[in-house]
Amino acid sequence: MNFPEQTPLELSIYQANKAYNGIPALIDAQITLRGGEVHGLIGENGAGKSTLIKLLAGVLSPDSMRVTFNEQPVELKTPQDAYQLGLRFIHQELNIVPSLSVAENIFLSHPYPRIGGVFVNWRKLNQMAQDVLHQLGVYHINVRQNAAQLSSGDAMLMKIASAFIGDDFANLRQTGGLLYIMDEPTASLTNVEADILFDVIDTLRQQGCAVLYVTHRLNELFKIAQQITVMRDGEVVGSHQMTDVTADDLIREMTGREMENVYPPRAVEAKGAIRLEVQNFSTAHVHDINFTLREGEIVGIAGLNGSGRSELLQGLMGADARESGTIYLEGQRLPRLSPTLAWEYGIAYVPEERRSQGLILTQSIAHNITLPHLAETTHGMGLLNHSREHLISQETSHDVQLRAVNTHQRVKQLSGGNQQKVVFARTMVKQARVLLLDEPTRGIDVGAKFDIYSLMRQFSAQGVSILMVSSELDELINMCDRILIMRQHSFVDEVVPTGLNEETLLSLCYGNAGE
Amino acid sequence: MTTQQSSSNKFKHRQLSVGGLMRRYGTLIGFLLVVAIFWWQKPQTFMTIPNWVNITRQVSILGVVAFAMTVVMVTGDFDLSVGSMASLAGIIAGLLFQQEQSLLVAVIAALMVGLVGGLINGILVSYIGISAFVATLGMLTVFRGLALYMSGGASIYGRAIPETFSNFGRGGFELGTLNEQRVFLPNLTILAAIIFIVVLILLGQTVLGRRLYAIGGNMEAARLGGVRVNPLRLLTFVFSGVGASIAGLMLFSRLSTAHPTQGEGLMLKAIAAVFLGMTMTEEGEPHVLGTLLGVLILGVLANGLTQLRIDTYIQEISTGVIIVLAVALSSLSHKQINILKPIQQFFRNSGSQAEARQLND
């Protein structure tokens, strides 16, 4: 197919309106995507970003919307319409089929290459999958292995690759280019993996494609985006050239309030007694862990994906069986823990994946908050005390500044940030002694992040000791008193964050500092 | 919390469409329709107190199995072995009667069948990790074989059975007289009602019930949230086992006969009753009130269709059609009635596969 050299593609949406149950989610929104441009889209959770993307994808029908493609009015009513206009989507959620190979996952929503129209041409399938990964600059993933064996970062790269199947990737310029919509693609990527993606995005842009890039990480946008649209409460509140704005401007526009600092300042210096002491602790996934945690201290754990960070928290929580070692809590030697016992000892836990590990999405806020504390929510004899449950969930959801209709609302109806606040509210029912946080701010917006950081400061001031795993190095540096470095399932180093920068911390994670 | 106030007002204005009502309460409306049709067709006999008392007795045994099954299904499992456990419990009691053991010994032994059977099911599912579908299907065959072997394939009836035992199934508590006929509330109905109330309190008002629903909602989140998942799943199978045993005794008592396969129809009907009930809850989770209605629907259909002299085979067909219709109607409302959970566990990962397809579509 020979296309003449075209004017750069342009897709515009005007006057997009959408309401759920009478509550407007999108009010007269408009956005224009142009070929050769990376367009950032930011806004707090619930600002309408997801709704806008769903309208673009044709999976949600708008109350009203006008769409033009290269200045011609077009329909965008079904996913097929979107596909034909050249829209390609990379979603934030990792929906992979663990039992299938990487190649099969990449081809999940595309027809497999066949021999004689009947038999799957496995050789060609694997070859095509591998080619697409190579085009993305990903060489370390074997397409024949099961997706279950991938780290979450590699799984995300695999999902990204699947968006490029079926298009003539090498000849995009001739075909006029495509539009890629990426919804927080870097949420589970390490910095190195994210850099691979940024290179891909840059290549796409140079080939005349348009990219709509949704993220909560502002610094990424300053790296890759040329244009930015800011949303708040369902409306587009700003549209700028990236060179004209600063991060502070964007945060102000997004939240509608002044925010001098993303991180709340520390109130007191933590120098309490030793709260938790872990000696020679090993599980099937971590080896010979030693550390202490003081009262009111916030200690971070940095490391690459797969270094055993999350597994350490699971081990401390008793979700992974202890193989050896001892844990002392306030001098008391703890027995072999189970999650049930851990909660009873005042060890509270915010797991990595709030949707699959933290919450029961179909149940109410109240039920989710009291789940670990049901033993204290009774009249005795195992009978539930509903009024006490109501009171507890009211108080704690107020404390975490949860935005919800009431505590009977189902958790699945809440935005990501509010869902995370429900998981936090759970840790406040009973005064926790140790709080284990795994990626506490993953996938939530700046405003909710600030709330969560403030909560952590508040916990710390009350004397709660916090152990936090995070892939956001910036967060570790700004929130923690000390940072433990984890590599290959053990602690290898400890640093004080004062004066530390992200590059140094990252190279410590890789273990090539000073080499 | 000012934002909460404003948005809650907005929510109050949410309108329920006719279609929405139909999907939510379709099963209930359908039930009332069926009742109305029978009433219209059989005005003299259907809508009478004696007939309804009769219906409650007819469904009491199924009710006990279905109420106990609800507890298992709350955690997302199900128990296919209840029918053959009920038969086996009856056979054990009958054999002990033949050996002139006391009523108490026979009843306790029969209950032990369910207890031990449930323990085995529970251990297989929660500690060994076999899917409920496979484990209880296997045990179904084992219990069935045991009942046939121990009885020699023959029914147990006659003099050996104590009169107090068979009188229980036929007798009742006198309510009064109506048109010079004495009306009894059947003992079996009373027993089923007691078990209904026990399950109602267990699931709705206790910590245990809440934890079971948590397991059914998200097993991993429940575990990390401090719920002891394995012992509780085991417990639900013990519960359904004991329920099956009680039902087996009730059946034996009512028929004064223990046949090694007489409980077999109970399992499918009990599961169907729970499904019918699930169509009426908001999130499609099992609820014992819904199960009660499901049991009544099945009972009323059988009663009414028999009165209309409709062939029993045709009755089976129409009952099946109604169950499928009810569940289909409610899944149109995008309720996630995951009736296939245990089967999905059997075919590992097929759940996430379906989900992935859905998201990619």
Side-chain angles (χ1 to χ4, degrees):
Chain A
M1 278 196 286
N2 279 319
F3 280 82
E5 190 70 23
Q6 289 181 335
T7 49
L9 83 165
E10 185 182 291
L11 178 82
S12 298
I13 281 185
Y14 303 101
Q15 289 151 12
N17 283 287
K18 175 71 189 173
Y20 299 101
N21 298 318
I23 302 174
L26 214 52
I27 307 158
D28 280 335
Q30 67 168 64
I31 194 164
T32 298
L33 308 178
R34 291 186 193 87
E37 208 172 76
V38 176
H39 195 128
L41 177 62
I42 58 169
E44 301 194 284
N45 286 330
K49 305 183 304 274
S50 311
T51 309
L52 187 66
I53 290 174
K54 283 178 187 156
L55 293 186
L56 279 169
V59 295
L60 198 67
S61 57
D63 299 335
S64 69
M65 177 168 78
R66 233 157 30 82
V67 190
T68 64
F69 186 73
N70 294 342
E71 297 179 354
Q72 299 297 311
V74 287
E75 297 268 283
L76 200 50
K77 288 188 170 156
T78 63
Q80 286 73 34
D81 290 346
Y83 191 85
Q84 265 153 24
L85 283 178
L87 288 160
R88 302 289 182 269
F89 293 84
I90 294 167
H91 293 292
Q92 164 192 13
E93 303 292 336
L94 273 177
N95 40 73
I96 65 168
V97 185
S99 56
L100 294 183
S101 74
V102 170
E104 288 171 280
N105 268 285
I106 288 178
F107 273 86
L108 203 58
S109 48
H110 303 281
Y112 286 8
R114 282 168 202 275
I115 302 170
V118 183
F119 302 104
V120 175
N121 187 341
W122 292 107
R123 178 195 283 269
K124 191 169 179 209
L125 177 85
N126 288 331
Q127 189 58 48
M128 286 168 79
Q130 192 162 49
D131 287 350
V132 92
L133 282 172
H134 287 181
Q135 280 165 346
L136 294 180
V138 178
Y139 294 97
H140 65 283
I141 299 177
N142 175 4
V143 295
R144 287 180 177 81
Q145 80 193 99
N146 271 1
Q149 295 164 334
L150 296 183
S151 68
S152 62
D154 284 348
M156 192 68 215
L157 289 175
M158 176 185 84
K159 287 304 292 183
I160 291 169
S162 74
F164 295 95
I165 293 290
D167 297 320
D168 193 356
F169 194 52
N171 295 309
L172 285 175
R173 186 173 283 285
Q174 280 74 35
T175 56
L178 296 166
L179 299 102
Y180 290 93
I181 318 295
M182 307 189 181
D183 190 359
E184 287 198 59
T186 54
S188 51
L189 298 189
T190 61
N191 290 13
V192 177
E193 289 161 340
D195 283 338
I196 294 177
L197 178 66
F198 296 154
D199 287 343
V200 174
I201 291 175
D202 205 49
T203 314
L204 290 173
R205 188 181 60 77
Q206 286 169 15
Q207 292 187 332
C209 293
V211 177
L212 180 65
Y213 191 90
V214 183
T215 188
H216 287 308
R217 298 179 180 177
L218 293 178
N219 54 350
E220 290 182 350
L221 291 175
F222 285 100
K223 262 187 225 167
I224 59 167
Q226 287 77 49
Q227 192 78 26
I228 186 155
T229 292
V230 186
M231 296 190 71
R232 187 173 77 227
D233 298 333
E235 291 179 80
V236 171
V237 291
S239 198
H240 314 278
Q241 296 279 343
M242 214 55 213
T243 47
D244 295 346
V245 284
T246 65
D248 282 346
D249 296 338
L250 294 174
I251 291 174
R252 201 175 306 123
E253 210 161 39
M254 223 163 38
T255 58
R257 59 179 183 268
E258 292 289 330
M259 196 170 287
E260 284 304 303
N261 207 327
V262 185
Y263 298 97
R266 167 182 311 281
V268 284
E269 200 64 30
K271 281 216 171 66
I274 289 178
R275 172 65 56 79
L276 187 75
E277 186 168 4
V278 174
Q279 291 179 349
N280 309 105
F281 180 81
S282 295
T283 68
H285 306 288
V286 293
H287 306 303
D288 201 21
I289 299 291
N290 290 283
F291 71 96
T292 56
L293 196 55
R294 289 181 178 277
E295 196 178 294
E297 199 176 25
I298 302 179
V299 171
I301 301 178
L304 304 175
N305 273 348
S307 61
R309 299 168 304 171
S310 302
E311 290 80 0
L312 172 59
L313 295 194
Q314 295 227 345
L316 293 175
M317 197 61 200
D320 282 349
R322 177 177 73 188
E323 286 181 349
S324 62
T326 13
I327 302 176
Y328 296 93
L329 182 64
E330 288 169 356
Q332 183 195 1
R333 188 185 167 136
L334 296 185
R336 181 185 275 259
L337 288 175
S338 65
T340 318
L341 266 183
W343 282 100
E344 277 172 20
Y345 277 110
I347 304 175
Y349 177 44
V350 173
E352 183 180 12
E353 304 282 345
R354 63 176 159 268
R355 294 167 67 86
S356 63
Q357 301 176 317
L359 295 165
I360 297 155
L361 294 169
T362 52
Q363 294 187 0
S364 70
I365 293 168
H367 288 194
N368 273 284
I369 291 177
T370 55
L371 182 67
H373 311 285
L374 285 172
E376 286 120 65
T377 324
T378 62
H379 289 297
M381 306 267 295
L383 285 178
L384 279 172
N385 185 338
H386 292 283
S387 56
R388 183 163 161 69
E389 174 171 53
H390 182 70
L391 198 72
I392 287 174
S393 53
Q394 281 280 331
E395 276 175 7
T396 51
S397 50
H398 179 81
D399 290 345
V400 297
Q401 298 177 4
L402 186 71
R403 294 212 300 186
V405 177
N406 58 42
T407 56
H408 301 298
Q409 196 181 358
R410 315 247 158 203
V411 169
K412 68 175 177 187
Q413 297 169 339
L414 301 177
S415 67
N418 278 313
Q419 287 181 346
Q420 189 71 340
K421 285 180 180 177
V422 173
V423 184
F424 266 85
R426 183 187 278 175
T427 67
M428 303 176 80
V429 174
K430 198 170 86 175
Q431 179 75 38
R433 294 203 269 186
V434 175
L435 184 56
L436 306 176
L437 305 178
D438 200 347
E439 306 286 357
T441 63
R442 171 180 287 180
I444 65 178
D445 61 66
V446 182
K449 266 184 189 171
F450 185 82
D451 291 345
I452 297 232
Y453 296 140
S454 307
L455 277 173
M456 287 171 64
R457 289 278 182 245
Q458 191 184 319
F459 276 128
S460 151
Q462 289 164 1
V464 180
S465 309
I466 299 177
L467 189 62
M468 167 170 79
V469 166
S470 177
S471 299
E472 301 205 20
L473 302 178
D474 191 42
E475 176 176 287
L476 288 173
I477 291 169
N478 285 286
M479 290 300 296
C480 298
D481 300 307
R482 287 184 290 143
I483 301 172
L484 300 166
I485 313 290
M486 204 160 184
R487 216 184 297 147
Q488 294 179 341
H489 318 289
S490 290
F491 283 145
V492 291
D493 213 337
E494 176 179 329
V495 285
V496 177
T498 326
L500 194 69
N501 62 26
E502 286 187 46
E503 285 69 27
T504 323
L505 184 53
L506 187 65
S507 59
L508 279 171
C509 294
Y510 276 98
N512 54 3
E515 280 171 24
Chain B
M1 292 197 282
T2 44
T3 42
Q4 294 192 3
Q5 291 309 317
S6 63
S7 48
S8 80
N9 286 339
K10 281 174 193 163
F11 258 89
K12 276 179 194 156
H13 294 293
R14 178 161 57 174
Q15 288 173 346
L16 271 175
S17 62
V18 177
L21 273 175
M22 195 57 207
R23 284 188 218 111
R24 175 82 197 272
Y25 297 107
T27 309
L28 187 60
I29 295 167
F31 174 59
L32 295 176
L33 262 175
V34 168
V35 167
I37 291 171
F38 289 146
W39 194 356
W40 167 53
Q41 287 290 318
K42 287 278 162 193
Q44 267 88 48
T45 53
F46 183 74
M47 212 51 168
T48 59
I49 290 175
N51 189 47
W52 278 89
V53 166
N54 197 23
I55 290 175
T56 66
R57 181 179 30 223
Q58 285 164 351
V59 300
S60 60
I61 295 164
L62 172 62
V64 170
V65 178
F67 302 148
M69 181 73 84
T70 311
V71 178
V72 183
M73 289 177 68
V74 161
T75 63
D77 294 318
F78 50 63
D79 185 350
L80 301 180
S81 68
V82 286
S84 61
M85 254 192 291
S87 306
L88 182 60
I91 290 296
I92 297 273
L95 288 173
L96 288 170
F97 286 147
Q98 281 182 338
Q99 290 171 15
E100 294 178 13
Q101 296 288 339
S102 74
L103 180 62
L104 190 70
V105 169
V107 167
I108 289 176
L111 293 179
M112 288 303 288
V113 169
L115 189 82
V116 174
L119 265 174
I120 296 172
N121 280 332
I123 289 169
L124 289 175
V125 173
S126 58
Y127 287 97
I128 299 185
I130 307 176
S131 93
F133 183 75
V134 178
T136 61
L137 187 66
M139 292 313 291
L140 176 158
T141 318
V142 172
F143 296 139
R144 186 169 185 270
L146 267 176
L148 285 164
Y149 174 73
M150 293 176 80
S151 65
S155 299
I156 299 169
Y157 57 92
R159 279 164 191 271
I161 299 162
E163 248 172 53
T164 28
F165 184 73
S166 31
N167 284 344
F168 179 83
R170 299 198 199 103
F173 177 78
E174 188 168 343
L175 290 172
T177 51
L178 186 80
N179 303 331
E180 290 163 19
Q181 274 192 323
R182 291 156 78 196
V183 178
F184 289 93
L185 186 61
N187 288 332
L188 296 183
T189 304
I190 298 172
L191 190 54
I194 291 170
I195 288 166
F196 170 74
I197 291 167
V198 168
V199 176
L200 186 69
I201 293 172
L202 174 81
L203 290 181
Q205 303 298 325
T206 69
V207 168
L208 177 59
R210 180 62 66 72
R211 288 184 174 138
L212 296 181
Y213 275 108
I215 294 172
N218 183 343
M219 199 179 294
E220 180 65 2
R223 186 175 81 97
L224 294 175
V227 175
R228 290 187 171 93
V229 171
N230 288 344
L232 293 191
R233 278 177 89 191
L234 185 144
L235 191 67
T236 62
F237 283 99
V238 171
F239 200 90
S240 77
V242 173
S245 285
I246 295 173
L249 284 171
M250 289 164 77
L251 196 57
F252 184 13
S253 164
R254 178 157 156 69
L255 303 173
S256 303
T257 304
H259 186 268
T261 59
Q262 71 189 10
E264 280 186 357
L266 289 170
M267 176 266 286
L268 281 176
K269 280 188 191 149
I271 292 177
V274 181
F275 282 158
L276 283 171
M278 283 159 76
T279 64
M280 283 173 285
T281 56
E282 195 174 337
E283 294 293 336
E285 70 272 341
H287 193 286
V288 72
L289 261 174
T291 303
L292 174 66
L293 200 61
V295 166
L296 281 177
I297 291 173
L298 296 178
V300 165
L301 275 175
N303 178 283
L305 292 173
T306 308
Q307 285 193 35
L308 293 176
R309 293 174 193 283
I310 288 174
D311 187 287
T312 43
Y313 300 141
I314 303 288
Q315 283 190 27
E316 296 243 337
I317 295 170
S318 46
T319 310
V321 167
I322 285 171
I323 292 167
V324 172
L325 216 85
V327 176
L329 199 69
S330 90
S331 62
L332 287 179
S333 65
H334 304 288
K335 257 182 211 174
Q336 298 182 341
I337 296 189
N338 202 347
I339 57 186
L340 293 175
K341 219 182 234 172
I343 301 173
Q344 284 172 350
Q345 281 167 9
F346 174 49
F347 301 105
R348 276 256 157 72
N349 301 320
S350 61
S352 53
Q353 203 166 343
E355 210 173 314
R357 291 250 166 74
Q358 228 172 21
L359 285 163
N360 276 301
D361 274 348

